[in-house]
Amino acid sequence: MTLLTTWPESGPGTVLRRTTDPAEIDAVLAPAGVRYEQWPLREGPEEPDPEAVLRAYGDAVDGLVAAEGFATVDVVGLRPRKDLGWRLTAKAERKKFLMEHTHDDDDEVRFFVAGAGAFYLHIDREVHAVLCEAGDLLGVPRGTRHWFDMGASPSFTVIRFFHEEDGWVGNFTGSDIALKFPDFDALMATRGTSVLGVGQ
C-alpha cells in the first residue's frame, strides 16, 4: 500500500498530509507532473529474472513505452544476502541516491515489481515522501528535486524506463535536506501510526 507523507521543506516537525488513498495521492502529485499509477501484480519467479519480469509485464510495459517513447527498459533489484560484497555495494548505492538531485534530460520512472522503496520529492517548498511497494509506478519529471531511499537492507525489484540510452544521470544539488527527514526504515516502521517525526 502506497503511503504519502508531506512536510514543509523546513523539516518534519509538522506533518501536512499523510494518506494511503490512491486518489488523494494522485491528486496531490499530478499538478507537479508526477505520474502515479497502480498496476495489477503478475505471477513471476521467486528470484526475479529480468527477462521473466519483462515477459510477465510485457503488455503494460509495451503500452507505456509506446505512449511515452522510452528508448530503454531494464529490470534491477537488490535482495538481502549475507555476503560482504553485496552489503558494500548496497551501502554505496544507497548513499548516492540519498543525496538530493535532479535529471536534466529524463524523467525517473520506476515500477515496483516487488519490495519497497521511498521517493522524496522536493516541490514548492514541501517534501513529499512517497513510500512505494509492489504494484506502484512513479514517474518523477525531469528537473524535479528529489532523492530515493532503499533502506539499510534493500529488498526490491523495479522496472526502469529511460528516454535516454545513457540511463541514470543525476545532477546533485549539494543540499543536505535529505538528512532532515525520516528515512525509508522510519517510514516503514511508522506506517500504522498517525504521526511521523524525525526518524534518523
Side-chain angles (χ1 to χ4, degrees), residues 59-153:
D59 57 337
V61 168
D62 291 346
L64 189 56
V65 167
E68 300 293 335
F70 291 108
T72 305
V73 178
D74 67 10
V75 177
V76 298
L78 287 172
R79 289 282 181 275
R81 287 171 49 186
K82 295 180 180 178
D83 87 281
L84 183 61
W86 176 86
R87 291 183 186 277
L88 289 174
T89 300
K91 186 175 180 180
E93 288 294 303
R94 183 185 189 200
K95 184 177 180 181
K96 176 176 74 172
F97 295 127
L98 265 175
M99 295 185 285
E100 185 185 65
H101 60 276
T102 63
H103 304 289
D104 284 344
D105 299 322
D106 213 344
D107 302 338
E108 186 162 343
V109 181
R110 306 290 182 265
F111 171 69
F112 283 79
V113 174
F119 280 92
Y120 296 75
L121 313 176
H122 186 186
I123 301 169
D124 293 336
R125 304 184 71 179
E126 294 181 340
V127 171
H128 305 280
V130 187
L131 178 60
C132 297
E133 296 187 307
D136 290 338
L137 181 136
L138 195 73
V140 181
R142 66 192 73 194
T144 302
R145 292 173 294 169
H146 67 284
W147 64 94
F148 175 75
D149 190 11
M150 60 184 76
S153 298

